[in-house]
Amino acid sequence: MKKELYLLAGLALSPMVLMAENVCISTAKTSLVVNATEGQELKFVYYGEKLSAEDLKNINNSGLPQFSAYPVYGLNCPGETALAVKHADGNMSLQMEVEKTETRREENAIVTVITMKDKVYPFYVDVCYKTYQDADIIETWTEISHNEKKAVTLNQFASAYLPIRRGNVWFSSLYGSWANEGRLVQEPLEPGMKVIKNKDGVRNSHTAHGEVMFSLDGKPQENSGNVIGAALCYTGNYKLRIDTDDSEYHQFYAGINEENSAYTLEKEETFRTPELALTFSEEGLSGVSRNFHRWARLHKLAHGDKLRKILLNSWEGVYFNINQEGMNQMMADIASMGGELFVMDDGWFGDKYKRNSDNSSLGDWMVDTTKLPKGIEGLIADAEKNGVKFGIWIEPEMANTTSELYEKHPEWILKAPQRDPVLGRGGTQVVLDLGNPEVQDFVFGVVDNLMTKYPKIDYIKWDANMGIMNHGSNYLDKDEQSHMYIEYHRGLKKICQRIRAKYPDLTIQACASGGGRANYGYLPYFDEFWVSDNTDALQRIYMQWGTSYFFPAIAMASHISAAPNHQTFRTIPLKYRIDVAMSGRLGMEIQPKNMTDEEKELCRKAIADYKNIRPVVQFGDIYRLVSPYDRLGVASLMYTSPEKDKAVFYWWKTETFCNQHLPRVKMAGLSPDKMYRIHELNRIDNSPLKFEGQTFSGAFLMSNGLEIPYTHNVDYHKLNDYASRVLYLEAVK
Ligand code: DGJ
């Protein structure tokens, strides 16, 4: 008789090898159950709220159908599959059965590995699950290997599969474009295939995002309802498929996009698919966001436990017009407003070819001494004099054909053999072949040389402004050309790991033509990402709203910029621009010398206040309250401290009509029994709000909310069509 063992991964480590049937992978609030009976196919049983021991024992009798947990192609497979291969003998089928289940501890996480072997071929798939003790996330991926005589071709290699029960399931995903990233799309899942994909090669979150949510019981709600969230942690091309077929389930698959990427797996080589991070919450979409954010801060984001500095970035202030005096002036200005860091953007480098526009010099990472006669040393000295840290922009994965690097190493770029390269930004940009170890050394060297020469550099803005537009690697063999995308990202990962090993304290921003690199594949190496090149505060509300579904405010660079805005040409008052920027990692993207003293004073106060609320914004729990996408004329969200003794509430009017009706916004995430004192930040009104300094119970604030005036009480000449409020709530004894 087979022994039935329940392996409670996440609670205790059971013996290393188990004759397990049901394996329960648990976090504090969730359970995932698979049936791993030896000699049989691995079956998916359950994913959702945490099961009690009693329910777990009886789960097989609950009538739940059992699907293959990792469907493979070849036998009885009319549906979608996760894995499809071609053995050397031409056989295109697989039939996997469970060999063993093992668990191991990895720091404060537990990894469960279920090893499957093909019935006939020495071909193996390990299905892996990783649970953290302190975050409600289960990471799952596979490790594929074989011992066949010759190489096996992997045609399809998803990271994971999850069946989701039908029943008015709504799907939330992000879709956008350059300068319009992170747009939220919500739709019911209907029969047919929904595919979310990326094929850029370099940047993977401009259009689609590799993260999605499933609201299981009808139209998505922010703070109620059962929701599954999934994030594919990968820096490269991905494909997420949801097949709503004739069964009772939506079939969800996620992994690397295999298009033009068939992989030749050599004997004894292991192919590891990227992790799919899964979470489940009974507290709606915001609940899933909070799970992702917590996991990000604790485990996935570089320095997730460190407050971010308030910075000024030079791009929109001066563009390519970098010079020593100009940089010094900007440093003095940001310092005078209370900022802590200055970042010099594009335009500082190039010797033979000077970087005066986007059409040359990438790859030539030497200082342009005509612009900066005192060099980086001079800039660092100025930063020190002004009392701010210094950061610098690079785009190390790229070259221009007009560069010394390209003249020396034309073979280092990605390019189809016998064809002229398709050129990117500026008409001359090309992508370096990161699969080539020599190129990896070069790219690592860009950071290493800067940091060795100028160890006081505190921050690097790492940009990437072109996708892979040419299929061809000079480094890879002709039979391995389909590995190009995968090898690019393996190379990038190796570079990032080397950088992090040598420079663990450096702050690095992932920028990629704006928000092209907001993905958990990047975040272990990067402290934050640039949400978008679009700094228009009104449009940022929409983009930051969507992006906050999966990423915490601490990672979302959000800057106060000029009016009219440089992307939309919209003129938005400074107060509103500040109020939006303060809901993320606050910074500035402006020429301060063009600001009036009054504007600078408003920014100075906002920066001082941001320092006070920074721990709540950057380490707090998000509660989204009114969505801009619901077009109710207002958008609102808040962050609460983990102890619920402090909160910051944001309210932005998104349109203006005379005598309009806006909803009163109920707060969330407070402690009902605590009394909170209200204080408005960034006040511009001539008189304080009615509730300034007043105290209300969390219960009242959450069931009624405060009545926010629709306009600002300012002098006539200051009236405009924007209104916004930031309220700081502090619990009083
Ligand atoms: C694109 C980035 O998103 C911008 O912020 C800026 O750094 C430019 N590149 C510089 O070329």
Side-chain angles (χ1 to χ4, degrees), residues 452-466:
T452 308
K453 271 194 182 156
Y454 318 111
K456 289 194 173 150
I457 290 179
D458 185 69
Y459 177 107
I460 281 182
K461 175 173 174 178
W462 178 308
D463 208 344
N465 290 302
M466 180 182 171

mmCIF file of all heavy atoms in Angstrom, residues 452-466:
data_model
loop_
_atom_site.group_PDB
_atom_site.id
_atom_site.type_symbol
_atom_site.label_atom_id
_atom_site.label_comp_id
_atom_site.label_asym_id
_atom_site.label_seq_id
_atom_site.Cartn_x
_atom_site.Cartn_y
_atom_site.Cartn_z
ATOM 1 N N THR A 452 36.071 52.072 -10.521
ATOM 2 C CA THR A 452 37.450 51.983 -10.043
ATOM 3 C C THR A 452 38.084 53.375 -10.038
ATOM 4 O O THR A 452 38.720 53.786 -9.074
ATOM 5 C CB THR A 452 38.273 51.034 -10.953
ATOM 6 O OG1 THR A 452 37.551 49.820 -11.060
ATOM 7 C CG2 THR A 452 39.647 50.757 -10.402
ATOM 8 N N LYS A 453 37.828 54.108 -11.134
ATOM 9 C CA LYS A 453 38.415 55.451 -11.210
ATOM 10 C C LYS A 453 37.729 56.420 -10.268
ATOM 11 O O LYS A 453 38.345 57.321 -9.721
ATOM 12 C CB LYS A 453 38.234 55.977 -12.640
ATOM 13 C CG LYS A 453 39.340 55.643 -13.584
ATOM 14 C CD LYS A 453 39.140 56.517 -14.795
ATOM 15 C CE LYS A 453 40.076 56.342 -15.901
ATOM 16 N NZ LYS A 453 39.496 56.776 -17.170
ATOM 17 N N TYR A 454 36.412 56.261 -10.147
ATOM 18 C CA TYR A 454 35.633 57.243 -9.364
ATOM 19 C C TYR A 454 34.763 56.506 -8.346
ATOM 20 O O TYR A 454 33.546 56.410 -8.505
ATOM 21 C CB TYR A 454 34.728 58.076 -10.286
ATOM 22 C CG TYR A 454 35.395 58.510 -11.568
ATOM 23 C CD1 TYR A 454 34.998 57.969 -12.794
ATOM 24 C CD2 TYR A 454 36.429 59.446 -11.559
ATOM 25 C CE1 TYR A 454 35.617 58.350 -13.979
ATOM 26 C CE2 TYR A 454 37.054 59.827 -12.739
ATOM 27 C CZ TYR A 454 36.646 59.276 -13.940
ATOM 28 O OH TYR A 454 37.253 59.636 -15.107
ATOM 29 N N PRO A 455 35.395 55.964 -7.321
ATOM 30 C CA PRO A 455 34.622 55.133 -6.384
ATOM 31 C C PRO A 455 33.505 55.901 -5.675
ATOM 32 O O PRO A 455 32.632 55.282 -5.058
ATOM 33 C CB PRO A 455 35.668 54.628 -5.389
ATOM 34 C CG PRO A 455 36.912 55.390 -5.654
ATOM 35 C CD PRO A 455 36.825 56.028 -6.994
ATOM 36 N N LYS A 456 33.535 57.225 -5.798
ATOM 37 C CA LYS A 456 32.482 57.982 -5.104
ATOM 38 C C LYS A 456 31.196 58.047 -5.917
ATOM 39 O O LYS A 456 30.200 58.630 -5.453
ATOM 40 C CB LYS A 456 32.979 59.380 -4.768
ATOM 41 C CG LYS A 456 34.015 59.316 -3.663
ATOM 42 C CD LYS A 456 34.298 60.650 -3.055
ATOM 43 C CE LYS A 456 35.210 60.466 -1.852
ATOM 44 N NZ LYS A 456 36.073 61.623 -1.641
ATOM 45 N N ILE A 457 31.190 57.503 -7.114
ATOM 46 C CA ILE A 457 29.914 57.455 -7.859
ATOM 47 C C ILE A 457 28.931 56.644 -7.019
ATOM 48 O O ILE A 457 29.224 55.524 -6.600
ATOM 49 C CB ILE A 457 30.111 56.828 -9.256
ATOM 50 C CG1 ILE A 457 30.912 57.790 -10.142
ATOM 51 C CG2 ILE A 457 28.759 56.506 -9.901
ATOM 52 C CD1 ILE A 457 31.196 57.265 -11.541
ATOM 53 N N ASP A 458 27.771 57.235 -6.798
ATOM 54 C CA ASP A 458 26.804 56.640 -5.876
ATOM 55 C C ASP A 458 25.676 55.929 -6.621
ATOM 56 O O ASP A 458 24.994 55.080 -6.053
ATOM 57 C CB ASP A 458 26.213 57.799 -5.039
ATOM 58 C CG ASP A 458 25.284 57.312 -3.953
ATOM 59 O OD1 ASP A 458 25.798 56.694 -3.003
ATOM 60 O OD2 ASP A 458 24.061 57.526 -4.068
ATOM 61 N N TYR A 459 25.484 56.309 -7.894
ATOM 62 C CA TYR A 459 24.257 55.903 -8.595
ATOM 63 C C TYR A 459 24.568 55.809 -10.076
ATOM 64 O O TYR A 459 25.262 56.658 -10.639
ATOM 65 C CB TYR A 459 23.223 56.989 -8.329
ATOM 66 C CG TYR A 459 21.857 56.880 -8.989
ATOM 67 C CD1 TYR A 459 20.742 56.538 -8.229
ATOM 68 C CD2 TYR A 459 21.672 57.185 -10.332
ATOM 69 C CE1 TYR A 459 19.471 56.494 -8.811
ATOM 70 C CE2 TYR A 459 20.412 57.134 -10.913
ATOM 71 C CZ TYR A 459 19.316 56.795 -10.138
ATOM 72 O OH TYR A 459 18.062 56.758 -10.698
ATOM 73 N N ILE A 460 24.059 54.773 -10.698
ATOM 74 C CA ILE A 460 24.200 54.641 -12.153
ATOM 75 C C ILE A 460 22.818 54.524 -12.768
ATOM 76 O O ILE A 460 21.982 53.738 -12.297
ATOM 77 C CB ILE A 460 25.094 53.428 -12.503
ATOM 78 C CG1 ILE A 460 26.561 53.823 -12.300
ATOM 79 C CG2 ILE A 460 24.846 52.949 -13.936
ATOM 80 C CD1 ILE A 460 27.566 52.772 -12.648
ATOM 81 N N LYS A 461 22.579 55.333 -13.783
ATOM 82 C CA LYS A 461 21.352 55.180 -14.568
ATOM 83 C C LYS A 461 21.735 54.359 -15.789
ATOM 84 O O LYS A 461 22.461 54.837 -16.651
ATOM 85 C CB LYS A 461 20.793 56.557 -14.953
ATOM 86 C CG LYS A 461 19.577 56.491 -15.874
ATOM 87 C CD LYS A 461 18.953 57.872 -16.088
ATOM 88 C CE LYS A 461 17.833 57.807 -17.120
ATOM 89 N NZ LYS A 461 17.166 59.092 -17.332
ATOM 90 N N TRP A 462 21.266 53.128 -15.846
ATOM 91 C CA TRP A 462 21.641 52.182 -16.913
ATOM 92 C C TRP A 462 20.511 52.161 -17.926
ATOM 93 O O TRP A 462 19.431 51.661 -17.646
ATOM 94 C CB TRP A 462 21.851 50.813 -16.282
ATOM 95 C CG TRP A 462 22.199 49.685 -17.200
ATOM 96 C CD1 TRP A 462 21.544 49.292 -18.329
ATOM 97 C CD2 TRP A 462 23.304 48.769 -17.059
ATOM 98 N NE1 TRP A 462 22.148 48.202 -18.891
ATOM 99 C CE2 TRP A 462 23.240 47.854 -18.131
ATOM 100 C CE3 TRP A 462 24.336 48.629 -16.118
ATOM 101 C CZ2 TRP A 462 24.166 46.815 -18.279
ATOM 102 C CZ3 TRP A 462 25.237 47.591 -16.276
ATOM 103 C CH2 TRP A 462 25.159 46.703 -17.351
ATOM 104 N N ASP A 463 20.789 52.695 -19.095
ATOM 105 C CA ASP A 463 19.750 52.870 -20.115
ATOM 106 C C ASP A 463 19.891 51.814 -21.212
ATOM 107 O O ASP A 463 20.938 51.160 -21.335
ATOM 108 C CB ASP A 463 19.915 54.284 -20.714
ATOM 109 C CG ASP A 463 18.623 54.860 -21.247
ATOM 110 O OD1 ASP A 463 17.658 54.108 -21.454
ATOM 111 O OD2 ASP A 463 18.587 56.089 -21.489
ATOM 112 N N ALA A 464 18.873 51.627 -22.000
ATOM 113 C CA ALA A 464 18.906 50.697 -23.149
ATOM 114 C C ALA A 464 17.829 51.169 -24.119
ATOM 115 O O ALA A 464 16.647 51.012 -23.839
ATOM 116 C CB ALA A 464 18.636 49.275 -22.690
ATOM 117 N N ASN A 465 18.265 51.741 -25.221
ATOM 118 C CA ASN A 465 17.312 52.442 -26.086
ATOM 119 C C ASN A 465 17.085 51.802 -27.449
ATOM 120 O O ASN A 465 16.787 52.489 -28.417
ATOM 121 C CB ASN A 465 17.784 53.893 -26.273
ATOM 122 C CG ASN A 465 17.627 54.682 -24.991
ATOM 123 O OD1 ASN A 465 16.532 54.795 -24.464
ATOM 124 N ND2 ASN A 465 18.726 55.204 -24.476
ATOM 125 N N MET A 466 17.246 50.508 -27.506
ATOM 126 C CA MET A 466 17.009 49.846 -28.795
ATOM 127 C C MET A 466 16.703 48.385 -28.545
ATOM 128 O O MET A 466 17.262 47.774 -27.636
ATOM 129 C CB MET A 466 18.271 49.985 -29.652
ATOM 130 C CG MET A 466 18.153 49.350 -31.013
ATOM 131 S SD MET A 466 19.706 49.498 -31.937
ATOM 132 C CE MET A 466 19.301 48.442 -33.327
#
